[in-house]
Amino acid sequence: MSDTPRLADGYEVSTDPDRIDAERVHHWLSTDAYWALGRTREKQDRAIGGSLNFGVFETASGTQVAYARVVTDGATFAWLCDVYVQPDVRGKGIGTALVAAVRDRLRPHGLRRILLATHDAHGVYEKLGFRPLERPGQWMALVLE
């Protein structure tokens, strides 16, 4: 796809679950992500285990520098969540390229929609085709925590 943002040289995206650095992801999210502050390692490990995971890695060292996960049935719906880019590599387009990789990986499944929630990154997602809900009044949530 020609409009897919490319990763900066020296980085690669992978969905190989064996490459995900669960300890690093837990640290990032539980200490620096407003939506997951204080999340336990056990809960994060269950989230990783039940999701399609995406990591961005430094090609030379294999060190993970970004993460996203998708909860999906693989047929009709997906929820994109826990998108995180390590602070020292922000500004290189890694987050945009990561979300584009998620979108492109899910496209062949014929999903009706991919949803996400964000307080502060609307511009990143809008560049990739995400839009506000057309009829938010039709959506409801059951908040259990």
Side-chain angles (χ1 to χ4, degrees):
M1 180 168 193
S2 62
D3 68 338
T4 297
R6 301 189 67 73
L7 277 170
D9 286 340
Y11 297 94
E12 61 186 347
V13 175
S14 176
T15 58
D16 179 351
D18 294 333
R19 292 188 71 187
I20 299 300
D21 184 338
E23 183 176 341
R24 179 179 292 249
V25 169
H26 173 255
H27 175 75
W28 286 337
L29 298 178
S30 68
T31 65
D32 192 40
Y34 65 83
W35 65 90
L37 292 174
R39 185 181 290 171
T40 67
R41 174 67 192 269
E42 184 271 332
K43 184 172 275 197
Q44 184 61 48
D45 287 348
R46 281 191 293 131
I48 289 170
S51 302
L52 173 59
N53 299 279
F54 293 76
V56 176
F57 302 87
E58 291 180 344
T59 306
S61 68
T63 302
Q64 187 170 348
V65 299
Y67 176 74
R69 69 184 180 91
V70 176
V71 181
T72 184
D73 60 12
T76 62
F77 178 83
W79 175 263
L80 172 60
C81 51
D82 288 346
V83 179
Y84 186 89
V85 178
Q86 186 172 282
D88 66 333
V89 298
R90 291 179 186 164
K92 297 181 179 185
I94 288 172
T96 301
L98 172 59
V99 174
V102 170
R103 177 199 62 195
D104 295 348
R105 169 72 163 65
L106 295 174
R107 189 181 305 270
H109 294 282
L111 303 174
R112 183 165 183 185
R113 64 181 47 94
I114 301 170
L115 290 182
L116 63 87
T118 184
H119 286 216
D120 58 357
H122 294 79
V124 171
Y125 298 108
E126 287 171 346
K127 287 189 279 188
L128 298 166
F130 286 86
R131 301 288 175 259
L133 293 172
E134 288 181 22
R135 293 181 294 273
Q138 291 181 347
W139 293 86
M140 297 180 71
L142 175 61
V143 179
L144 300 174
E145 287 187 7

